[in-house]
Amino acid sequence: MSSEYRTHPVDAESEERLTAQDLRYGILDNGDAEAFRGWLHADSRGFHDSRPTQQAVDAQQKGLEYRRALGVWDDASPDPVVPVATVASWPAQLTVPGETSVTGWAISSVTVAPTHRRKGVARALLEGELRTAHDLGLPLAMLTVSEATIYGRFGFAPAAMAATWKIDTRRAGWSGPRPDGRVRFLSLDQLSEQRAELLERARLSVPGEIEHWDYLWHRMLGAAHEGKDNGKDLHAVRYDDADGVAQGFALYRFTEQDQEFASHVLDLHYLLAVTDDAYAGLWRYLLEMDLVRQVHAPLRSVDEPVAWQITDQRAARKSNEGDHLWVRILDAKAALEGRRYRAPGRIGLRVTDPLGFVEGDVLVEIGADGAASVSPLKGEAPDGVAELALSAADLGALYLGGVSAGTLVRAGRVTELRPGSADVLDGSFRSPVTPWLSIWF
Ligand SMILES: CC(C)(COP(=O)(O)OP(=O)(O)OC[C@H]1O[C@@H](n2cnc3c(N)ncnc32)[C@H](O)[C@@H]1OP(=O)(O)O)[C@@H](O)C(=O)NCCC(=O)NCCS
């Protein structure tokens, strides 16, 4: 996609609503250092974070240049360079079932100053983002959320979950494969150079993953911080297969320890495996580490194979399991044709959408090759076609194949218009790999 999205005019409807409140809605000029500082300050303040240092401002002004950053300014405020609301968005590849990807509108930095809350500013921003993404021809929008109560009203729903795993290393006992490859330390600079290629090779293997950006890794490796979190205590290892080809890496630090230094907690920041062997090799390395009592692994898949690679399954505890990536379908045809399906089928979907983007009835026809063709469904569905009624948000939940239509029917969210339709949908839509997103954005 060209960079036209950065200068695409702000949404006229939202602009009108904000102007009526004497607020100015506009695109941040990323090249204006003072304006950028003000915007970043508002973004950090929105999440109760400290004021960004000049180093952070400089790094982000450059590192996040590709984003379309919008602000809402109140020119009557004592410090008018700091906006009272922020949002940033950019087109990013989202992995979908079938080891392929679609371009989604990633939305981040949604903040409204506490001085301007609950006056409809976030609604204007969010609806503006959705209309902009739709105008740009993108099939869906996506975000990760601070609170699970905010975005359902805009037609988003959780489509990929995440969980924290805590594994008691002294109980676990490795029973998984013992591949021939080697685990080797590498410097953070080396990881910084090599991670993009490894991430790219793994990107299409798990639905729900989105394209990473360089600044994210700059920060993950501690380079964006002065003093605290500066990366000094991070350790990086790489897994090389028997032929010496790099197939994964892990990034971790030690957090707690007892007085005898024999009982550390290993905090896993990131583990990437291109192959199953790399996955087994890296997890075995972590779980068999001396002087460690627990591996603490936040933001992992809810369905980690490592739970089946240890002798005592009760040594692995999952917590914080819940929504992580939220998806909002904006174009049913493009989104549904963009992914692959595990079985052929013909499914009629009658979709309601208060914001209008995907309101209407469509027929999804999935061929033996797992590709779908989506057309308008006019009148009665043909005989033998499964048929369901659902909201735009439910379509978002089902999209990556991690949520079951049967469950949503039992929850009273999706309605089967013909008996057995949820089963047909699940037979085609469910992803063989549980959707997961490994980062926040
Ligand atoms: C969340 C936040 C952006 C909302 O901004 P706002 O301008 O007060 O929201 P609006 O007035 O536009 O409210 C829009 C709707 O969302 C609801 N809403 C707003 N904040 C909510 C919250 N925290 N929880 C649940 N519902 C919320 C409102 O009740 C309103 O509902 P309705 O239109 O259906 O009646 C703002 O409170 C904020 O910046 N919070 C801190 C940062 C944050 O959490 N950002 C979200 C990052 S994912």
Side-chain angles (χ1 to χ4, degrees):
M1 191 170 191
S2 77
S3 61
E4 188 252 343
Y5 65 90
R6 288 188 49 206
T7 49
H8 188 81
V10 294
D11 177 65
E13 196 176 323
S14 293
E15 183 173 36
E16 194 180 321
R17 270 195 259 156
L18 291 164
T19 306
Q21 294 188 47
D22 291 329
L23 297 171
R24 189 163 48 80
Y25 176 48
I27 303 175
L28 174 77
D29 173 4
N30 282 37
D32 179 338
E34 194 53 15
F36 186 80
R37 183 197 63 76
W39 188 92
L40 199 60
H41 179 185
D43 182 17
S44 311
R45 190 175 63 187
F47 292 102
H48 306 321
D49 218 347
S50 48
R51 240 189 316 283
T53 60
Q54 193 55 47
Q55 187 197 13
V57 174
D58 294 343
Q60 292 191 57
Q61 187 180 3
K62 197 160 162 287
L64 302 181
E65 210 169 32
Y66 64 93
R67 295 190 181 182
R68 168 184 166 92
L70 299 189
V72 177
W73 287 268
D74 182 347
D75 291 327
S77 91
D79 191 2
V81 76
V82 181
V84 297
T86 59
V87 63
S89 39
W90 67 100
Q93 290 302 306
L94 167 70
T95 303
V96 295
E99 301 200 359
T100 183
S101 63
V102 299
T103 310
W105 191 237
I107 302 176
S108 186
S109 298
V110 177
T111 73
V112 174
T115 49
H116 289 66
R117 70 194 282 281
R118 306 302 183 269
K119 295 174 194 293
V121 175
R123 180 174 279 279
L125 290 182
L126 259 301
E127 291 185 10
E129 287 306 309
L130 298 181
R131 283 190 288 266
T132 300
H134 188 253
D135 286 353
L136 291 168
L138 295 170
L140 56 87
M142 56 202 180
L143 38 73
T144 56
V145 312
S146 59
E147 291 188 82
T149 45
I150 306 174
Y151 294 99
R153 60 172 55 73
F154 301 114
F156 286 88
M161 314 297 161
T164 297
W165 288 82
K166 286 182 187 162
I167 307 181
D168 179 338
T169 54
R170 289 173 183 158
R171 259 181 92 174
W174 184 258
S175 63
R178 293 163 183 260
D180 288 339
R182 296 284 309 273
V183 174
R184 301 175 191 278
F185 276 106
L186 70 169
S187 72
L188 296 188
D189 285 344
Q190 288 170 320
L191 179 59
S192 180
E193 280 165 24
Q194 296 171 20
R195 55 95 200 156
E197 191 255 334
L198 284 161
L199 282 158
E200 185 53 30
R201 276 164 54 206
R203 185 170 66 83
L204 296 180
S205 56
V206 183
E209 191 59 76
I210 81 158
E211 221 180 331
H212 292 193
W213 53 98
D214 289 344
Y215 184 74
L216 171 79
W217 277 90
H218 187 69
R219 218 181 55 197
M220 295 243 284
L221 295 174
H225 298 276
E226 294 163 359
K228 71 172 178 130
D229 283 343
N230 57 9
K232 284 208 176 87
D233 54 359
L234 284 173
H235 303 278
V237 290
R238 191 181 72 199
Y239 178 88
D240 295 346
D241 67 17
D243 297 327
V245 179
Q247 301 288 10
F249 65 84
L251 182 67
Y252 60 90
R253 63 154 56 99
F254 298 100
T255 50
E256 296 163 31
Q257 62 182 42
D258 64 11
Q259 288 192 334
E260 293 176 5
F261 304 104
S263 205
H264 291 72
V265 170
L266 186 157
D267 208 358
L268 183 61
H269 283 224
Y270 206 88
L271 184 148
L272 175 106
V274 179
T275 61
D276 291 343
D277 276 0
Y279 182 88
L282 288 165
W283 270 107
R284 181 180 167 215
Y285 166 83
L286 298 171
L287 292 176
E288 291 187 341
M289 180 101 48
D290 288 332
L291 310 181
V292 168
R293 70 180 154 83
Q294 185 191 83
V295 170
H296 172 246
L299 211 61
R300 297 295 308 177
S301 169
V302 297
D303 185 26
E304 286 287 344
V306 68
W308 297 89
Q309 294 177 316
I310 51 178
T311 317
D312 183 350
Q313 284 211 343
R314 292 187 189 174
R317 297 280 175 196
K318 211 179 350 173
S319 59
N320 295 334
E321 181 169 349
D323 65 278
H324 186 44
L325 176 75
W326 290 60
V327 166
R328 204 302 175 198
I329 306 293
L330 295 168
D331 178 338
K333 180 177 166 64
L336 293 168
E337 288 182 353
R339 56 158 286 185
R340 291 287 178 274
Y341 299 83
R342 64 191 305 175
R346 296 174 81 207
I347 305 163
L349 299 175
R350 304 203 181 270
V351 188
T352 49
D353 183 357
L355 295 177
F357 297 106
V358 289
E359 173 84 24
D361 304 334
V362 290
L363 179 63
V364 186
E365 295 178 283
I366 301 162
D369 60 354
S373 128
V374 178
S375 54
L377 175 61
K378 299 196 181 91
E380 281 272 297
D383 283 349
V385 168
E387 197 182 349
L388 300 106
L390 71 174
S391 68
D394 293 325
L395 186 60
L398 295 171
Y399 181 62
L400 295 177
V403 176
S404 134
T407 303
L408 296 185
V409 167
R410 288 201 298 281
R413 289 181 63 131
V414 171
T415 307
E416 275 185 323
L417 300 174
R418 289 180 178 169
S421 295
D423 231 20
V424 175
L425 189 143
D426 283 336
S428 295
F429 272 58
R430 291 307 296 272
S431 165
V433 179
T434 303
W436 167 49
L437 167 66
S438 65
I439 54 166
W440 289 95
F441 67 92

